[in-house]
């Protein structure tokens, strides 16, 4: 049995080594991806209750890996965060989102609001994160309200930090702020008021439960009522069925996002289907 134990140990350590190797490869590939700009932003349109596109979309990063093909963020954002590469990826996302939004604004003369995901680790202590958004939108003549920055509740937990100061500065400048995945993290309502939050995005898990779980309906109703009292708009994420749409209509949710309406798509497809020629 001593031998068995040893074999077991070796078995596990081998696996662990393999995993560590995999991770090192991923980090190396990510460095190359950053240098060679192998990323692409997909856009998922956001709809009003009646199913009309609301001239809004969420930007979602994709990685065109030369060997593995299209890689979803679920497979690399965490490693990018733990390896410190998220800052450079965030820089690329900002540059690309501003460039796309500015192009669409220039072509159509009306603002398409682009939501951009933000990792807490992209937000530095020195104020550069907010400065970059303010300066780079201005450089492209993009109105600040064309940008909605999505941060998670966990980002806001530490309200004493320079994060708060930067969010307030962005907000005063006219850039919008959303709380992403609302309901799953540390849900404190204090910051909704304190930080002049514009939008709450209710996490997909609550939307999935809507049809089967009465308490989910009550919870979402309470969130929407509270948000509206604070003049905060509400987006439901991950809407997949017409029944969910109908329930969210009854609950007076403001916007709907999900596969029922559209999946994330390349920038050009989003522009052609939802921006070009769309009623203002
Ligand atoms: P998220 O911010 O919650 O984004 C929504 C995710 O839900 C997206 O997955 C989207 O494709 C998916 N989704 C939308 N509608 C539906 C639906 O009806 N059903 C289902 N099952 N899924 C739906 P995606 O694109 O794989 O992104 C995953 C996560 O990666 C995002 O979750 C976000 O946390 C992160 N992420 C994506 N892009 C970026 C980025 O540019 N920067 C950072 N820091 N994180 C990003
Ligand atoms: Ca998001
Ligand atoms: Ca605001
Ligand atoms: Ca989300």
């Amino acid at each position: 049995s001593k031998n068995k134990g040893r074999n077991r140990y070796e078995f596990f350590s081998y696996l662990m080594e393999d995993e560590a190797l995999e991770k090192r490869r991923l980090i190396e590939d990510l460095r190359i991806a950053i240098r060679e700009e192998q990323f692409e932003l997909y856009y998922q349109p956001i709809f009003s209750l009646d199913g009309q596109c609301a001239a809004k979309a969420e930007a979602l990063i994709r990685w065109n890996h030369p060997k593995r093909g299209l890689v979803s963020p679920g497979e690399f954002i965490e490693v990018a965060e733990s390896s410190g590469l998220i800052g450079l990826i965030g820089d690329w996302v900002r540059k690309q989102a501003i460039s796309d939004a500015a192009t669409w604004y220039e072509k159509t003369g009306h603002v398409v609001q682009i939501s951009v995901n933000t990792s807490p680790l992209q937000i530095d202590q020195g104020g550069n994160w907010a400065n970059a958004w303010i300066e780079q939108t201005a450089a492209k003549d993009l109105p600040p309200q064309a940008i909605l920055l999505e941060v998670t509740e966990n980002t806001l937990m530490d309200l004493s930090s320079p994060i708060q100061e930067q969010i307030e500065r962005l907000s005063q400048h006219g850039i919008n702020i959303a709380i992403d995945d609302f309901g799953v993290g540390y849900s404190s309502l204090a910051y909704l008021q304190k930080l002049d939050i514009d939008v709450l995005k209710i996490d997909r898990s609550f939307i999935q439960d809507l049809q089967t779980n009465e308490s989910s309906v009550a919870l979402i109703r309470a969130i929407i009522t509270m948000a509206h009292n604070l003049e905060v708009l509400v987006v439901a994420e991950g809407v997949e069925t017409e029944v969910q749409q109908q329930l969210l209509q009854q609950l007076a949710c403001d916007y709907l996002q999900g596969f029922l309406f559209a999946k994330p798509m390349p920038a050009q497809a989003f522009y052609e289907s939802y921006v070009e020629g769309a009623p203002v």
Side-chain angles (χ1 to χ4, degrees), residues 32-199:
I32 296 167
I34 292 165
R35 201 163 56 229
E36 298 187 351
E37 303 199 40
Q38 292 170 356
F39 301 112
E40 181 173 357
L41 283 185
Y42 270 38
Y43 290 90
Q44 185 179 32
I46 295 170
F47 295 80
S48 46
L49 290 184
D50 59 3
Q52 293 294 308
C53 180
K56 300 173 194 295
E58 178 173 5
L60 295 157
I61 195 170
R62 300 291 181 262
W63 174 11
N64 288 305
H65 191 288
K67 291 199 191 90
R68 291 166 64 197
L70 212 60
V71 186
S72 74
E75 291 183 59
F76 66 87
I77 289 291
E78 246 182 68
V79 169
E81 287 179 333
S82 66
S83 62
L85 294 172
I86 193 69
L88 292 171
I89 293 174
D91 290 346
W92 180 85
V93 169
R94 180 175 52 243
K95 190 187 74 177
Q96 192 60 46
I98 290 173
S99 164
D100 289 342
T103 302
W104 298 332
Y105 179 62
E106 208 181 281
K107 281 187 175 171
T108 65
H110 65 88
V111 166
V112 180
Q113 189 185 64
I114 301 304
S115 299
V116 180
N117 289 285
T118 306
S119 157
L121 298 171
Q122 284 168 246
I123 308 178
D124 62 304
Q125 301 292 303
N128 294 321
W129 174 68
N131 288 343
W133 277 107
I134 291 168
E135 285 163 14
Q136 290 173 29
T137 48
K140 287 272 192 179
D141 291 323
L142 182 68
Q145 65 269 24
I147 300 296
L148 176 76
L149 296 176
E150 298 192 359
V151 299
T152 60
E153 294 171 303
N154 297 339
T155 305
L156 301 174
M157 262 179 77
D158 184 10
L159 274 185
S160 62
S161 73
I163 289 178
Q164 178 180 351
E165 184 268 325
Q166 292 192 64
I167 287 175
E168 282 174 341
R169 201 145 46 85
L170 287 165
S171 200
Q172 277 160 21
H173 185 72
I175 286 178
N176 295 288
I177 308 291
I179 298 178
D180 204 0
D181 307 333
F182 189 79
V184 293
Y186 168 86
S187 304
S188 160
L189 303 178
Y191 53 63
L192 283 181
Q193 208 157 21
K194 198 165 182 207
L195 290 181
D196 184 28
I197 296 296
D198 302 286
V199 173

Side-chain angles (χ1 to χ4, degrees), residues 49-51 242 244-253 256:
L49 290 184
D50 59 3
E242 278 168 19
Q244 290 166 350
Q245 178 186 8
Q246 281 154 16
L247 285 166
L248 289 159
Q249 281 170 339
Q250 284 163 23
L251 294 171
C253 188
L256 310 175

